[in-house]
Every structure is written in structure tokens, then in C-alpha cells.
Amino acid sequence: MKKITIAIDGFSSCGKSTMAKDLARKVGYIYVDTGAMYRSVTLFALRNGLFREDESINEEELKARMSEIKISFKLNKDTGKPDTYLNDELVEQDIRTMEVSNRVSPIAALPFVREEMVAQQQRMGREKGIVMDGRDIGTVVFPNAELKIFVTASAEVRAQRRYDELKGKGLEANYEEILRNVEERDYIDSHREVSPLRKADDALELDNSNMTIDEQNAWLMERFLEARSKRYF
């Protein structure tokens, strides 16, 4: 059976990664969490003092040090899902904190960061059989993907999901702070100059505000089977 490329885009905290991971596991495809890649760059910048006191980014130094940032994914045998590694260090928990969430959108908007991350992503997807989620997968990274999905949900629903996720991991969380972060990231992601978040013309839209995880996974599996059965020339 031929393999295809699946691009899943959408707003922050709308369940893209959960959908993509579950689909990849079920169909035996490789999953790449591009959001985790930008979060890893943000974590690197935080650890290396590349944010100034006024929260601005030392862009010149970050650009000079991009070659030091190596991001990879390794399967977690306990969860059956991939974990994120920054320079061979497991950082899956570290990149999910609010400290990183509050700074990732400005990092992801930098042209030289996006250029390097897109190059890494395209190398990962050369052989197809890949599920990738992010903000510009269907528009920039894989414009010829056989299946493109654009996921959305209300800001309030997404903030609640993020709150529940953090509390479930035993991390501190404040709903109002998370909601502000979600709304700010939506604006930045949609208005940045390079590769802004937008729905590809040929993408299928999914509003999962009122769907369970099982319902959205079933919907996605149907779309996958439909796309895989088509002939592409």
C-alpha cells in the first residue's frame, strides 16, 4: 500500500499533536511534532540567556548559534509516543512549561529559525509515510501533501485543555494566564511576516470544540483512508 504525507495545521492547544500522534501510531507512520521543535529552540534560548531583561530576543547571537541546536524524536516505549530531545537530552516536559509557551511565538516568527526548522522537517519527510503537525505544514513545508487538515477550536476551549494538561502533569497553571497566552499566540501566529498561520486552499477544516478525542480520531482516520485510496499523478 502506497504511503502518503499528512499535514495537520491549526491554532495552539487545539489537539493537533494528539490527533497526529494517534494516527501515526495506528497506521505505522512517522510522527513529527514541529511545535516541539520551535519550543526546543525557545528552551535553548532561555537556557543560554538569549532573552534580554525586556523580553526581546538577542537575534544576532541566536542566529549565530543555530548550528548548535539539534532536535530529534525518539519513541517512548511506555507511552508508545515520541519524546522530544534537544542535543540528545530529553526535554519533553521542559518545553511544555508556561515559561516556554509565553516566548515560543516570537522565536517561531524569526525567519532564520523557520528556515532551519523547515529544512529539517523536509528532510524528515522525503520518504513519505509521515504525519506532521504545526502552523505552516500544508502551506510551506509540504504544499503537495496528499492530506491536509486544518484544526480549530474556540480560545476558551483550548485554554481549558491546556490548563487540564498542565495540572494533570502536576505543573502550576492559571486559566486566565493561559487564555491570554492562547489569544496572544493566535494573533502572533496569524500576523507574522514569515509563514503566517492560515488554512491551505485544499485543506479540510475540523472544528473539534465539542468533540471527544475518540470522535476526532475516528474522523481523521476516515479522511486518511479516503486520501490513501486516491490516485496521485
Side-chain angles (χ1 to χ4, degrees):
M1 183 66 70
K2 73 175 189 306
K3 292 185 176 181
I4 64 174
T5 297
I6 303 165
I8 302 179
D9 291 308
F11 293 93
S12 66
S13 302
C14 63
K16 302 185 304 297
S17 297
T18 299
M19 292 175 63
K21 288 175 184 177
D22 287 343
L23 179 64
R25 178 174 52 81
K26 290 175 182 175
V27 302
Y29 277 24
I30 297 170
Y31 165 73
V32 176
D33 180 354
T34 62
M37 297 176 72
Y38 290 104
R39 284 176 173 272
S40 296
V41 176
T42 305
L43 181 64
F44 178 90
L46 281 166
R47 287 179 170 180
N48 289 276
L50 302 184
F51 284 93
R52 303 185 181 94
E53 289 187 8
D54 63 358
E55 299 298 325
S56 64
I57 305 163
N58 187 334
E59 296 182 24
E60 189 172 318
E61 185 172 353
L62 177 59
K63 185 175 183 178
R65 300 187 65 177
M66 284 301 295
S67 62
E68 299 176 29
I69 301 174
K70 306 298 181 185
I71 301 166
S72 58
F73 298 91
K74 298 178 184 178
L75 188 66
N76 184 315
K77 294 180 180 178
D78 293 329
T79 65
K81 296 178 180 180
D83 284 334
T84 309
Y85 285 75
L86 171 61
N87 297 330
D88 293 322
E89 176 195 350
L90 175 62
V91 294
E92 187 64 33
Q93 291 285 83
D94 304 72
I95 63 174
R96 306 298 175 182
T97 64
M98 284 305 298
E99 183 180 26
V100 171
S101 293
N102 286 331
R103 294 171 174 82
V104 64
S105 287
I107 288 284
L110 295 173
F112 63 86
V113 173
R114 299 205 69 82
E115 180 179 352
E116 174 58 27
M117 293 300 101
V118 167
Q120 289 191 32
Q121 292 155 16
Q122 290 176 331
R123 286 196 292 271
M124 294 175 186
R126 283 175 181 164
E127 302 303 317
K128 294 188 177 291
I130 194 166
V131 184
M132 192 174 290
D133 75 277
R135 303 290 192 279
D136 60 353
I137 310 306
T139 55
V140 175
V141 182
F142 295 124
N144 297 317
E146 291 87 350
L147 176 59
K148 300 179 185 179
I149 305 294
F150 189 85
V151 190
T152 186
S154 71
E156 291 76 14
V157 166
R158 289 182 283 132
Q160 186 64 52
R161 289 173 180 170
R162 182 71 176 143
Y163 174 85
D164 293 340
E165 177 187 6
L166 291 171
K167 295 296 285 187
K169 293 179 178 178
L171 300 173
E172 289 295 319
N174 177 282
Y175 173 80
E176 294 301 329
E177 179 187 358
I178 294 171
L179 178 58
R180 286 194 299 272
N181 173 254
V182 165
E183 293 172 337
E184 288 170 1
R185 290 181 66 188
D186 285 353
Y187 183 84
I188 293 172
D189 291 344
S190 301
H191 291 79
R192 66 188 178 214
E193 184 176 348
V194 180
S195 302
L197 170 65
R198 67 176 180 83
K199 176 186 172 185
D201 293 338
D202 54 347
L204 304 174
E205 183 168 335
L206 172 65
D207 184 335
N208 65 9
S209 297
N210 300 306
M211 296 177 74
T212 65
I213 291 177
D214 286 343
E215 288 172 339
Q216 66 183 18
N217 286 348
W219 181 91
L220 183 58
M221 179 60 76
E222 289 180 10
R223 305 292 85 76
F224 165 73
L225 294 174
E226 290 171 358
R228 193 180 62 174
S229 68
K230 294 179 180 177
R231 296 182 65 185
Y232 297 94
F233 299 92

